[in-house]
Coordinates of all heavy atoms in Angstrom, one line a residue:
M5 N 52.8 -123.3 81.5 CA 54.0 -123.6 82.4 C 53.5 -124.0 83.7 O 52.7 -123.3 84.3 CB 54.8 -122.3 82.5 CG 56.0 -122.4 83.3 SD 57.0 -120.9 83.5 CE 58.2 -121.2 82.3
G6 N 54.0 -125.1 84.2 CA 53.6 -125.7 85.5 C 54.3 -125.0 86.6 O 55.2 -124.2 86.5
I7 N 53.9 -125.4 87.8 CA 54.5 -124.9 89.0 C 56.0 -125.2 89.1 O 56.8 -124.4 89.4 CB 53.7 -125.4 90.2 CG1 52.3 -124.8 90.3 CG2 54.5 -124.9 91.5 CD1 51.4 -125.4 91.3
A8 N 56.3 -126.5 88.8 CA 57.7 -126.9 88.8 C 58.6 -126.1 87.8 O 59.7 -125.8 88.2 CB 57.8 -128.4 88.5
D9 N 58.0 -125.8 86.6 CA 58.8 -125.0 85.7 C 59.1 -123.6 86.2 O 60.2 -123.1 86.1 CB 58.1 -124.9 84.4 CG 58.0 -126.2 83.7 OD1 58.9 -127.1 83.8 OD2 57.0 -126.4 82.9
Q10 N 58.1 -123.0 86.9 CA 58.2 -121.7 87.5 C 59.2 -121.7 88.6 O 60.0 -120.8 88.8 CB 56.9 -121.2 87.9 CG 55.9 -120.9 86.7 CD 54.5 -120.5 87.2 OE1 54.2 -120.4 88.4 NE2 53.7 -120.2 86.2
V11 N 59.1 -122.8 89.4 CA 60.0 -122.9 90.6 C 61.5 -123.1 90.1 O 62.4 -122.4 90.6 CB 59.6 -124.1 91.5 CG1 60.7 -124.5 92.4 CG2 58.4 -123.7 92.2
R12 N 61.7 -123.9 89.1 CA 63.1 -124.1 88.5 C 63.6 -122.7 88.0 O 64.7 -122.4 88.2 CB 63.0 -125.1 87.4 CG 62.9 -126.5 87.8 CD 63.1 -127.4 86.6 NE 62.7 -128.8 87.0 CZ 61.5 -129.3 86.8 NH1 60.5 -128.6 86.2 NH2 61.2 -130.6 87.2
A13 N 62.7 -121.9 87.3 CA 63.2 -120.6 86.8 C 63.5 -119.7 88.0 O 64.5 -119.0 87.9 CB 62.0 -120.0 86.0
E14 N 62.7 -119.8 89.1 CA 63.1 -118.9 90.2 C 64.4 -119.3 90.9 O 65.2 -118.5 91.2 CB 62.0 -118.9 91.2 CG 62.2 -118.0 92.4 CD 61.0 -117.8 93.3 OE1 59.9 -118.3 93.1 OE2 61.3 -117.2 94.4
I15 N 64.6 -120.6 91.0 CA 65.8 -121.1 91.6 C 67.0 -120.7 90.7 O 68.1 -120.2 91.3 CB 65.8 -122.7 91.7 CG1 64.8 -123.1 92.8 CG2 67.2 -123.2 92.0 CD1 64.5 -124.5 92.9
D16 N 66.9 -120.8 89.4 CA 67.9 -120.3 88.5 C 68.2 -118.8 88.7 O 69.4 -118.4 88.8 CB 67.6 -120.6 87.1 CG 67.7 -122.1 86.7 OD1 68.3 -122.8 87.5 OD2 67.1 -122.5 85.6
G17 N 67.1 -118.1 88.8 CA 67.3 -116.6 89.0 C 67.9 -116.3 90.3 O 68.6 -115.3 90.5
L18 N 67.6 -117.0 91.4 CA 68.2 -116.7 92.7 C 69.6 -117.1 92.8 O 70.3 -116.6 93.6 CB 67.4 -117.5 93.8 CG 66.0 -117.0 94.1 CD1 65.3 -118.0 94.9 CD2 65.9 -115.6 94.6
G19 N 70.1 -118.1 92.0 CA 71.4 -118.5 92.0 C 71.8 -119.3 93.3 O 72.9 -119.2 93.9
V20 N 70.8 -120.1 93.8 CA 71.0 -120.8 95.1 C 71.3 -122.3 95.0 O 71.6 -122.9 96.0 CB 69.8 -120.6 96.0 CG1 69.6 -119.2 96.4 CG2 68.5 -121.1 95.3
E21 N 71.2 -122.8 93.7 CA 71.4 -124.3 93.6 C 72.8 -124.7 94.1 O 72.9 -125.8 94.7 CB 71.1 -124.7 92.2 CG 70.9 -126.2 92.1 CD 70.3 -126.6 90.8 OE1 70.1 -125.8 89.9 OE2 70.0 -127.8 90.7
S22 N 73.8 -123.9 93.8 CA 75.1 -124.3 94.3 C 75.3 -124.1 95.8 O 76.1 -124.7 96.4 CB 76.2 -123.5 93.5 OG 76.0 -122.1 93.8
V23 N 74.6 -123.2 96.4 CA 74.6 -122.9 97.8 C 73.9 -124.0 98.6 O 74.3 -124.4 99.6 CB 74.0 -121.5 98.1 CG1 74.0 -121.2 99.6 CG2 74.8 -120.4 97.4
A24 N 72.7 -124.4 98.1 CA 71.9 -125.3 98.8 C 71.2 -126.3 97.8 O 70.0 -126.3 97.6 CB 70.8 -124.6 99.6
P25 N 72.1 -127.2 97.2 CA 71.5 -128.1 96.2 C 70.4 -129.1 96.7 O 69.5 -129.3 96.0 CB 72.8 -128.9 95.7 CG 73.8 -128.7 96.8 CD 73.5 -127.4 97.5
G26 N 70.6 -129.5 98.0 CA 69.6 -130.4 98.5 C 68.2 -129.8 98.7 O 67.2 -130.3 98.3
L27 N 68.3 -128.6 99.2 CA 67.0 -127.8 99.5 C 66.4 -127.5 98.1 O 65.2 -127.5 98.0 CB 67.3 -126.6 100.3 CG 66.1 -125.7 100.7 CD1 65.0 -126.6 101.5 CD2 66.5 -124.6 101.6
A28 N 67.2 -127.1 97.2 CA 66.7 -126.8 95.9 C 66.0 -128.0 95.2 O 64.9 -127.9 94.6 CB 67.8 -126.3 94.9
A29 N 66.6 -129.2 95.4 CA 66.0 -130.4 94.9 C 64.7 -130.7 95.6 O 63.7 -131.1 94.9 CB 67.0 -131.5 95.0
V30 N 64.6 -130.5 96.9 CA 63.4 -130.7 97.6 C 62.3 -129.8 97.1 O 61.2 -130.2 96.9 CB 63.6 -130.5 99.2 CG1 62.3 -130.5 99.9 CG2 64.5 -131.6 99.7
V31 N 62.6 -128.5 96.9 CA 61.7 -127.5 96.4 C 61.1 -127.9 95.1 O 59.9 -127.9 94.8 CB 62.3 -126.1 96.3 CG1 61.5 -125.1 95.5 CG2 62.6 -125.6 97.7
V32 N 62.0 -128.4 94.2 CA 61.5 -128.8 92.8 C 60.6 -130.1 93.0 O 59.6 -130.2 92.4 CB 62.7 -129.2 91.9 CG1 62.3 -129.9 90.6 CG2 63.5 -127.9 91.6
R33 N 61.0 -131.0 93.9 CA 60.2 -132.2 94.0 C 58.8 -131.8 94.6 O 57.8 -132.4 94.2 CB 60.9 -133.2 95.0 CG 60.2 -134.4 95.4 CD 60.0 -135.4 94.2 NE 61.2 -135.8 93.6 CZ 61.8 -137.0 93.9 NH1 61.2 -137.8 94.8 NH2 62.9 -137.3 93.3
L34 N 58.8 -130.9 95.5 CA 57.5 -130.5 96.1 C 56.6 -129.8 95.0 O 55.4 -130.1 94.9 CB 57.7 -129.5 97.2 CG 58.1 -130.1 98.5 CD1 58.6 -128.9 99.5 CD2 57.0 -130.9 99.2
A35 N 57.3 -129.1 94.1 CA 56.5 -128.4 93.0 C 56.0 -129.5 92.0 O 54.9 -129.4 91.6 CB 57.4 -127.4 92.3
E36 N 56.8 -130.4 91.8 CA 56.4 -131.5 90.8 C 55.2 -132.3 91.4 O 54.3 -132.7 90.8 CB 57.6 -132.5 90.6 CG 58.6 -131.9 89.7 CD 59.9 -132.7 89.6 OE1 60.1 -133.6 90.4 OE2 60.7 -132.4 88.7
T37 N 55.3 -132.5 92.8 CA 54.2 -133.2 93.5 C 52.9 -132.4 93.4 O 51.9 -133.0 93.1 CB 54.6 -133.5 94.9 OG1 55.8 -134.3 95.0 CG2 53.5 -134.1 95.7
L38 N 53.1 -131.1 93.6 CA 51.9 -130.3 93.5 C 51.3 -130.3 92.0 O 50.1 -130.3 91.8 CB 52.2 -128.8 93.9 CG 51.1 -127.9 94.2 CD1 50.1 -128.5 95.2 CD2 51.6 -126.5 94.7
D39 N 52.2 -130.3 91.0 CA 51.7 -130.3 89.6 C 51.0 -131.7 89.4 O 50.1 -131.7 88.6 CB 52.9 -130.2 88.7 CG 53.3 -128.8 88.4 OD1 52.5 -127.9 88.7 OD2 54.5 -128.6 88.0
A40 N 51.4 -132.7 90.0 CA 50.9 -134.1 89.8 C 49.5 -134.3 90.4 O 48.8 -135.2 90.0 CB 51.8 -135.1 90.3
I41 N 49.1 -133.5 91.3 CA 47.8 -133.6 92.0 C 46.7 -132.9 91.0 O 46.9 -131.8 90.7 CB 47.7 -133.0 93.3 CG1 48.8 -133.6 94.3 CG2 46.4 -133.1 93.9 CD1 48.9 -132.9 95.6
P42 N 45.8 -133.7 90.5 CA 44.8 -133.1 89.6 C 44.1 -132.0 90.3 O 43.7 -132.0 91.5 CB 43.8 -134.3 89.3 CG 44.6 -135.5 89.6 CD 45.6 -135.2 90.8
V43 N 43.8 -131.0 89.5 CA 43.1 -129.8 90.0 C 41.7 -130.2 90.4 O 41.0 -131.0 89.7 CB 43.0 -128.7 88.9 CG1 42.1 -127.5 89.3 CG2 44.3 -128.2 88.5
G44 N 41.3 -129.8 91.6 CA 40.0 -130.1 92.1 C 39.9 -131.4 92.9 O 38.9 -131.8 93.4
E45 N 41.0 -132.0 93.0 CA 41.1 -133.3 93.8 C 42.1 -133.1 95.0 O 43.1 -132.3 94.9 CB 41.6 -134.5 93.0 CG 40.6 -134.9 91.9 CD 41.0 -136.1 91.1 OE1 41.8 -136.9 91.6 OE2 40.6 -136.2 90.0
A46 N 41.9 -133.8 96.0 CA 42.8 -133.8 97.2 C 43.2 -132.4 97.6 O 44.3 -132.1 97.7 CB 44.0 -134.6 96.8
A47 N 42.2 -131.6 97.9 CA 42.4 -130.2 98.3 C 43.3 -130.1 99.5 O 44.2 -129.2 99.6 CB 41.1 -129.5 98.6
T48 N 43.1 -131.0 100.5 CA 43.9 -131.0 101.7 C 45.4 -131.3 101.4 O 46.3 -130.6 101.9 CB 43.4 -131.9 102.8 OG1 42.0 -131.6 103.1 CG2 44.2 -131.9 104.0
A49 N 45.6 -132.3 100.5 CA 47.0 -132.6 100.1 C 47.6 -131.4 99.4 O 48.8 -131.1 99.6 CB 47.0 -133.9 99.3
Q50 N 46.8 -130.8 98.5 CA 47.4 -129.6 97.7 C 47.8 -128.5 98.7 O 48.8 -127.9 98.5 CB 46.3 -129.1 96.8 CG 46.1 -130.0 95.5 CD 45.2 -129.4 94.6 OE1 45.0 -128.2 94.5 NE2 44.4 -130.2 93.9
A51 N 46.9 -128.3 99.7 CA 47.2 -127.2 100.6 C 48.5 -127.5 101.4 O 49.3 -126.6 101.7 CB 46.0 -127.0 101.6
V52 N 48.6 -128.8 101.9 CA 49.8 -129.1 102.7 C 51.1 -129.0 101.8 O 52.1 -128.5 102.3 CB 49.6 -130.6 103.2 CG1 50.9 -131.1 103.8 CG2 48.5 -130.7 104.2
V53 N 51.0 -129.6 100.6 CA 52.2 -129.5 99.7 C 52.5 -128.0 99.4 O 53.7 -127.6 99.4 CB 52.0 -130.3 98.5 CG1 53.2 -130.1 97.5 CG2 51.9 -131.8 98.8
A54 N 51.5 -127.3 99.1 CA 51.7 -125.8 98.8 C 52.3 -125.1 100.0 O 53.2 -124.3 99.8 CB 50.4 -125.2 98.4
D55 N 51.9 -125.4 101.2 CA 52.5 -124.8 102.4 C 53.9 -125.1 102.5 O 54.8 -124.3 102.8 CB 51.7 -125.2 103.6 CG 52.1 -124.5 104.9 OD1 52.1 -123.2 104.9 OD2 52.5 -125.2 105.8
K56 N 54.2 -126.4 102.4 CA 55.6 -126.9 102.5 C 56.5 -126.2 101.4 O 57.6 -125.8 101.6 CB 55.7 -128.4 102.4 CG 55.0 -129.1 103.5 CD 55.6 -128.8 104.9 CE 54.9 -129.6 106.0 NZ 55.3 -129.2 107.3
L57 N 55.9 -126.1 100.2 CA 56.7 -125.6 99.1 C 57.0 -124.1 99.4 O 58.1 -123.6 99.2 CB 55.9 -125.7 97.8 CG 56.4 -125.0 96.6 CD1 57.8 -125.5 96.2 CD2 55.5 -125.2 95.4
A58 N 56.0 -123.4 99.8 CA 56.2 -121.9 100.1 C 57.2 -121.7 101.2 O 58.1 -120.9 101.1 CB 54.9 -121.3 100.6
A59 N 57.2 -122.6 102.3 CA 58.2 -122.5 103.3 C 59.6 -122.8 102.8 O 60.6 -122.1 103.1 CB 57.8 -123.4 104.5
A60 N 59.7 -123.8 102.0 CA 61.0 -124.2 101.5 C 61.5 -123.1 100.5 O 62.8 -122.8 100.5 CB 61.0 -125.5 100.8
L61 N 60.7 -122.5 99.7 CA 61.1 -121.4 98.8 C 61.5 -120.2 99.6 O 62.5 -119.6 99.2 CB 59.9 -121.0 97.9 CG 59.8 -121.7 96.6 CD1 58.5 -121.4 95.9 CD2 61.0 -121.4 95.7
N62 N 60.9 -119.9 100.7 CA 61.3 -118.8 101.5 C 62.7 -119.0 102.1 O 63.5 -118.1 102.2 CB 60.3 -118.5 102.6 CG 59.1 -117.8 102.1 OD1 59.1 -117.1 101.1 ND2 58.0 -118.0 102.7
R63 N 63.0 -120.3 102.5 CA 64.3 -120.6 103.0 C 65.4 -120.4 101.9 O 66.5 -119.9 102.1 CB 64.4 -122.0 103.5 CG 63.6 -122.1 104.8 CD 63.5 -123.5 105.4 NE 64.8 -124.3 105.4 CZ 64.9 -125.6 105.5 NH1 63.8 -126.3 105.5 NH2 66.1 -126.1 105.6
L64 N 65.0 -120.8 100.6 CA 66.0 -120.7 99.5 C 66.2 -119.2 99.2 O 67.3 -118.7 99.0 CB 65.4 -121.3 98.2 CG 65.8 -122.8 98.1 CD1 65.2 -123.3 96.8 CD2 67.3 -123.1 98.1
R65 N 65.1 -118.4 99.2 CA 65.3 -117.0 99.0 C 66.1 -116.3 100.0 O 66.9 -115.4 99.7 CB 63.9 -116.3 99.0 CG 63.0 -116.7 97.8 CD 61.6 -116.1 97.9 NE 60.8 -116.6 96.8 CZ 59.6 -117.1 97.0 NH1 59.0 -117.1 98.2 NH2 58.8 -117.5 96.0
A66 N 66.1 -116.8 101.2 CA 66.9 -116.2 102.3 C 68.4 -116.5 102.1 O 69.3 -115.8 102.5 CB 66.5 -116.7 103.7
L67 N 68.7 -117.7 101.4 CA 70.0 -118.1 101.1 C 70.6 -117.4 99.9 O 71.8 -117.6 99.6 CB 70.1 -119.6 101.0 CG 69.8 -120.4 102.2 CD1 69.7 -121.9 101.8 CD2 70.8 -120.2 103.3
A68 N 69.8 -116.8 99.1 CA 70.2 -116.2 97.8 C 71.3 -115.1 98.1 O 71.1 -114.3 99.0 CB 69.0 -115.6 97.1
P69 N 72.3 -115.1 97.2 CA 73.4 -114.1 97.4 C 72.8 -112.7 97.0 O 71.8 -112.7 96.2 CB 74.4 -114.5 96.4 CG 73.8 -115.5 95.5 CD 72.6 -116.1 96.2
P70 N 73.3 -111.7 97.6 CA 72.7 -110.4 97.3 C 73.0 -110.0 95.9 O 74.0 -110.4 95.3 CB 73.4 -109.4 98.3 CG 74.6 -110.2 98.7 CD 74.3 -111.6 98.6
A71 N 72.0 -109.3 95.3 CA 72.2 -108.8 93.9 C 73.3 -107.8 93.9 O 73.4 -107.0 94.8 CB 70.9 -108.2 93.4
T72 N 74.1 -107.8 92.9 CA 75.2 -106.9 92.9 C 75.1 -105.8 91.8 O 75.4 -104.7 92.0 CB 76.6 -107.7 92.7 OG1 76.5 -108.5 91.5 CG2 76.9 -108.5 93.9
K73 N 74.7 -106.3 90.6 CA 74.6 -105.3 89.5 C 73.2 -105.3 89.0 O 72.6 -106.3 88.8 CB 75.6 -105.7 88.4 CG 75.8 -104.6 87.4 CD 77.1 -104.9 86.6 CE 77.3 -103.6 85.8 NZ 78.6 -103.6 85.2
G74 N 72.8 -104.1 88.6 CA 71.4 -103.9 88.1 C 70.4 -103.8 89.2 O 69.2 -103.6 88.9
D75 N 70.8 -103.9 90.4 CA 69.8 -103.8 91.5 C 69.4 -102.4 91.7 O 70.3 -101.5 91.7 CB 70.4 -104.4 92.8 CG 69.5 -104.3 93.9 OD1 68.6 -105.2 94.0 OD2 69.7 -103.5 94.8
A76 N 68.1 -102.1 91.8 CA 67.7 -100.7 91.9 C 68.3 -100.0 93.1 O 68.7 -98.8 93.0 CB 66.2 -100.7 92.1
V77 N 68.5 -100.6 94.2 CA 69.1 -100.0 95.4 C 70.5 -99.6 95.1 O 71.0 -98.5 95.4 CB 69.0 -100.9 96.7 CG1 69.7 -100.3 97.8 CG2 67.5 -101.1 97.0
N78 N 71.2 -100.6 94.5 CA 72.6 -100.3 94.1 C 72.8 -99.2 93.2 O 73.7 -98.4 93.3 CB 73.3 -101.6 93.6 CG 73.5 -102.7 94.6 OD1 73.5 -102.3 95.8 ND2 73.7 -103.9 94.2
E79 N 71.9 -99.1 92.2 CA 71.9 -98.0 91.2 C 71.7 -96.7 91.9 O 72.4 -95.7 91.6 CB 70.9 -98.2 90.1 CG 71.2 -99.4 89.2 CD 70.2 -99.6 88.2 OE1 69.3 -98.7 87.9 OE2 70.2 -100.7 87.6
L80 N 70.8 -96.6 92.8 CA 70.5 -95.4 93.6 C 71.7 -95.0 94.4 O 72.1 -93.8 94.5 CB 69.3 -95.5 94.5 CG 67.9 -95.6 93.7 CD1 66.8 -95.9 94.7 CD2 67.6 -94.3 93.0
A81 N 72.3 -96.0 95.0 CA 73.5 -95.7 95.8 C 74.7 -95.2 95.0 O 75.4 -94.2 95.3 CB 74.0 -97.0 96.6
E82 N 74.8 -95.8 93.8 CA 75.9 -95.3 92.9 C 75.6 -93.9 92.4 O 76.6 -93.1 92.4 CB 76.0 -96.2 91.6 CG 76.6 -97.6 92.0 CD 76.5 -98.5 90.8 OE1 76.2 -98.1 89.6 OE2 76.7 -99.7 91.0
R83 N 74.4 -93.5 92.1 CA 74.1 -92.2 91.7 C 74.3 -91.2 92.9 O 74.9 -90.1 92.6 CB 72.6 -92.1 91.3 CG 72.3 -92.7 90.0 CD 70.8 -92.4 89.6 NE 70.3 -93.5 88.8 CZ 69.0 -93.7 88.7 NH1 68.1 -93.0 89.2 NH2 68.6 -94.7 87.9
A84 N 74.0 -91.6 94.1 CA 74.2 -90.7 95.2 C 75.7 -90.5 95.4 O 76.1 -89.4 95.7 CB 73.6 -91.3 96.5
E85 N 76.5 -91.6 95.2 CA 77.9 -91.4 95.4 C 78.5 -90.5 94.4 O 79.4 -89.7 94.7 CB 78.6 -92.8 95.3 CG 80.1 -92.8 95.5 CD 80.6 -92.2 96.8 OE1 79.9 -92.4 97.8 OE2 81.6 -91.5 96.8
K86 N 78.0 -90.6 93.1 CA 78.5 -89.7 92.1 C 78.2 -88.2 92.4 O 79.0 -87.3 92.2 CB 77.9 -90.1 90.7 CG 78.5 -91.3 90.1 CD 77.8 -91.7 88.8 CE 78.4 -93.1 88.3 NZ 77.7 -93.5 87.1
R87 N 77.0 -88.0 92.9 CA 76.6 -86.6 93.3 C 77.5 -86.1 94.4 O 77.9 -84.9 94.4 CB 75.1 -86.6 93.7 CG 74.1 -86.7 92.6 CD 72.7 -86.3 92.9 NE 72.2 -87.1 94.0 CZ 71.6 -88.3 93.9 NH1 71.4 -88.7 92.7 NH2 71.1 -88.9 94.9
R88 N 77.8 -87.0 95.4 CA 78.6 -86.5 96.5 C 80.0 -86.2 96.0 O 80.6 -85.2 96.4 CB 78.7 -87.7 97.6 CG 77.6 -87.6 98.6 CD 77.9 -88.5 99.8 NE 78.0 -90.0 99.4 CZ 76.9 -90.8 99.3 NH1 75.7 -90.3 99.6 NH2 77.1 -92.0 99.0
A89 N 80.6 -87.0 95.1 CA 81.9 -86.8 94.6 C 81.9 -85.5 93.8 O 82.9 -84.7 93.9 CB 82.3 -88.0 93.7
A90 N 80.9 -85.2 93.0 CA 80.9 -84.0 92.2 C 80.8 -82.8 93.2 O 81.4 -81.8 93.0 CB 79.7 -84.0 91.3
A91 N 80.0 -82.9 94.2 CA 79.8 -81.8 95.2 C 81.1 -81.6 95.9 O 81.5 -80.4 96.1 CB 78.7 -82.1 96.2
Q92 N 81.9 -82.6 96.3 CA 83.2 -82.5 96.9 C 84.2 -81.8 96.0 O 84.9 -80.9 96.4 CB 83.7 -83.8 97.4 CG 83.0 -84.4 98.6 CD 83.4 -85.8 99.0 OE1 84.1 -86.5 98.2 NE2 83.1 -86.2 100.1
Q93 N 84.1 -82.1 94.7 CA 85.0 -81.5 93.8 C 84.7 -80.0 93.6 O 85.6 -79.2 93.5 CB 85.0 -82.2 92.4 CG 85.7 -83.5 92.4 CD 85.6 -84.2 91.1 OE1 84.7 -83.8 90.2 NE2 86.4 -85.2 90.8
R94 N 83.4 -79.7 93.5 CA 83.0 -78.3 93.4 C 83.5 -77.5 94.7 O 84.0 -76.4 94.6 CB 81.5 -78.2 93.2 CG 81.0 -78.5 91.9 CD 79.6 -78.1 91.6 NE 78.7 -78.6 92.6 CZ 78.1 -79.8 92.5 NH1 78.3 -80.6 91.4 NH2 77.2 -80.2 93.4
H95 N 83.3 -78.1 95.8 CA 83.7 -77.5 97.1 C 85.2 -77.3 97.2 O 85.6 -76.3 97.6 CB 83.1 -78.3 98.2 CG 83.5 -77.7 99.6 ND1 82.9 -76.5 100.0 CD2 84.3 -78.1 100.6 CE1 83.4 -76.2 101.2 NE2 84.2 -77.2 101.6
A96 N 85.9 -78.3 96.7 CA 87.4 -78.2 96.8 C 87.9 -77.2 95.8 O 88.9 -76.5 96.1 CB 88.0 -79.6 96.5
G97 N 87.2 -77.0 94.7 CA 87.7 -76.0 93.7 C 87.3 -74.6 94.1 O 88.0 -73.7 93.7
S98 N 86.4 -74.4 95.0 CA 86.0 -73.1 95.4 C 86.8 -72.6 96.6 O 86.7 -71.4 96.9 CB 84.5 -73.0 95.7 OG 84.2 -73.8 96.8
G99 N 87.5 -73.5 97.2 CA 88.2 -73.1 98.5 C 89.5 -72.8 98.3 O 90.3 -71.9 98.2

């Protein structure tokens, strides 16, 4: 799997293509460009493209909508809320 394939998978996972389609296209193009440079050749060009790709990916990640379901933080918050509700019910029943 090439860099461009991995980048496309990340963009799909982030759900940002509808939010920033132009930036997503630039990120894919940068990844394709990096894939096209033969390994061991044009090290400076590879470094420049990789740097631009990383910066653009970070911008996309910042635009990603927050995870809503299945997120570990959300799961912990839901568990804590259930414990609070159970404790409130126990307290209300004892008073």
Side-chain angles (χ1 to χ4, degrees):
M5 179 181 264
I7 296 167
D9 293 330
Q10 293 175 359
V11 165
R12 283 186 194 95
E14 182 170 352
I15 289 171
D16 288 343
L18 290 172
V20 293
E21 195 163 9
S22 63
V23 177
L27 183 56
V30 168
V31 167
V32 170
R33 178 65 63 95
L34 286 168
E36 290 170 345
T37 300
L38 195 54
D39 278 340
I41 301 171
V43 176
E45 293 184 23
T48 302
Q50 286 184 31
V52 170
V53 174
D55 183 57
K56 298 296 182 186
L57 175 59
L61 268 173
N62 284 334
R63 287 176 52 200
L64 274 181
R65 289 176 186 132
L67 295 172
T72 55
K73 194 163 189 166
D75 181 77
V77 174
N78 289 339
E79 289 178 18
L80 290 172
E82 288 173 12
R83 288 186 208 161
E85 180 58 36
K86 286 178 185 178
R87 286 194 302 272
R88 277 193 293 275
Q92 287 175 344
Q93 286 179 343
R94 284 193 303 272
H95 181 69
S98 66

